[in-house]
Amino acid sequence: MRIARFSTGDGVGFGVVEGGPGEEFISGISGHPFGPIQFTGERYSLSQVRLVAPMLPSKVVAIGKNYADHAHEMGGEVPDEPLVFLKPSTSVIGSGEAIAYPTTLSQRVDYEGELAVVIGRLCREVPRERAHEVIFGYTCANDVTARDLQKKDVQFTRAKGFDTFCPLGPWIQTELDPGDVGIVTSVNGEIKQNSRTSKLMYDIPALIAHVSAVMTLIPGDVILTGTPEGVGPLNVGDEVSVFIEGIGTLSNRVVSRD
């Protein structure tokens, strides 16, 4: 099932995306999608609505250097345990919204296409064998990074935390086996990253166990699972897209913030 969050101009709601490619429509649902779903009877074509971020998480927990080839391209080895950092909720935007390049503060902003896990229930200290019980679904993510600030600051907060630096979408796929799906990032139609989630060094159950041992996760929280090799710069005017097999495509244009 694909769960979308959308705006009609009169407000924001949730719905189930139905139909095949190019013929999708949204069936509205009442309330929040974490409980039993009740349809409202409203139906919209995608052209009638604007997709927004599929969730507004209390926190985005990101994992660094979780593909060996990416760790090597960044000049290091895979960490001995998952490398965890946070992105603020204010960095989240949806598909079709603009990434704002802070041109007065950074001269190098990179894309990082990733698979994102959406948490579906309150949890902490989750054993890896029960991790599947707390997952609501999966979506596409772009862990946009001011690379020069990341190197300058050593830690990641400023480089990863700008408003608009965490595009998520286009919707949440609740029925996906994430063990081996393709992930492709392109800029202006040119493929920059092309990998598979089977190359993750720490799989999703391991990540949930590791993160939830530190902090409580609540419904809607997002875990970014790491980016494969091929990261690179974005420029104002670029369109960057993250495609994940079985989910869809997240696309955003880059504009100047200044």
Side-chain angles (χ1 to χ4, degrees), residues 92-134:
V92 173
I93 58 173
S95 188
E97 296 186 71
I99 297 168
Y101 195 128
T103 53
T104 61
L105 294 175
S106 174
Q107 307 306 310
R108 172 69 185 260
V109 170
D110 284 9
Y111 55 82
E112 294 190 9
E114 309 196 12
L115 173 68
V117 182
V118 180
I119 298 299
R121 55 184 283 192
L122 183 73
C123 62
R124 66 182 178 90
E125 298 180 352
V126 181
R128 60 166 297 136
E129 62 270 16
R130 298 188 61 186
H132 65 281
E133 297 177 16
V134 307

Side-chain angles (χ1 to χ4, degrees), residues 184-196:
V184 177
T185 305
S186 60
V187 178
N188 301 325
E190 181 181 352
I191 292 176
K192 300 293 186 177
Q193 294 179 287
N194 190 353
S195 190
R196 303 191 69 82

Side-chain angles (χ1 to χ4, degrees), residues 29-235:
I29 59 176
S30 59
H32 209 279
F34 292 132
I37 288 177
Q38 293 185 327
F39 289 95
T40 63
E42 299 170 307
R43 294 179 61 175
Y44 308 91
S45 67
L46 289 187
S47 62
Q48 292 177 295
V49 302
R50 179 174 65 89
L51 295 179
V52 296
M55 282 292 161
L56 292 179
S58 77
K59 54 187 171 292
V60 177
V61 186
I63 306 298
K65 298 182 179 180
N66 200 22
Y67 289 79
D69 289 339
H70 173 60
H72 298 154
E73 78 174 346
M74 298 303 291
E77 299 297 325
V78 176
D80 292 334
E81 57 184 359
L83 174 62
V84 177
F85 59 93
L86 295 174
K87 293 173 78 80
S89 59
T90 48
S91 66
V92 173
I93 58 173
S95 188
E97 296 186 71
I99 297 168
Y101 195 128
T103 53
T104 61
L105 294 175
S106 174
Q107 307 306 310
R108 172 69 185 260
V109 170
D110 284 9
Y111 55 82
E112 294 190 9
E114 309 196 12
L115 173 68
V117 182
V118 180
I119 298 299
R121 55 184 283 192
L122 183 73
C123 62
R124 66 182 178 90
E125 298 180 352
V126 181
R128 60 166 297 136
E129 62 270 16
R130 298 188 61 186
H132 65 281
E133 297 177 16
V134 307
I135 296 173
F136 179 68
Y138 306 88
T139 192
C140 308
N142 190 345
D143 177 20
V144 182
T145 304
R147 192 70 69 198
D148 51 351
L149 299 183
Q150 182 182 14
K151 293 178 180 178
K152 179 181 179 181
D153 293 352
V154 181
Q155 50 82 26
F156 298 171
T157 303
R158 182 165 62 142
K160 303 280 192 175
F162 284 96
D163 291 355
T164 76
F165 269 28
C166 189
L168 298 173
W171 40 63
I172 298 168
Q173 173 59 264
T174 64
E175 299 170 356
L176 180 75
D177 180 352
D180 184 27
V181 295
I183 176 170
V184 177
T185 305
S186 60
V187 178
N188 301 325
E190 181 181 352
I191 292 176
K192 300 293 186 177
Q193 294 179 287
N194 190 353
S195 190
R196 303 191 69 82
T197 56
S198 55
K199 295 184 178 182
L200 285 169
M201 300 306 298
Y202 298 103
D203 63 11
I204 290 169
L207 296 180
I208 291 175
H210 185 77
V211 171
S212 68
V214 177
M215 65 190 76
T216 298
L217 298 171
I218 67 175
D221 280 353
V222 171
I223 298 176
L224 307 186
T225 58
T227 194
E229 66 175 323
V231 299
L234 292 169
N235 296 297

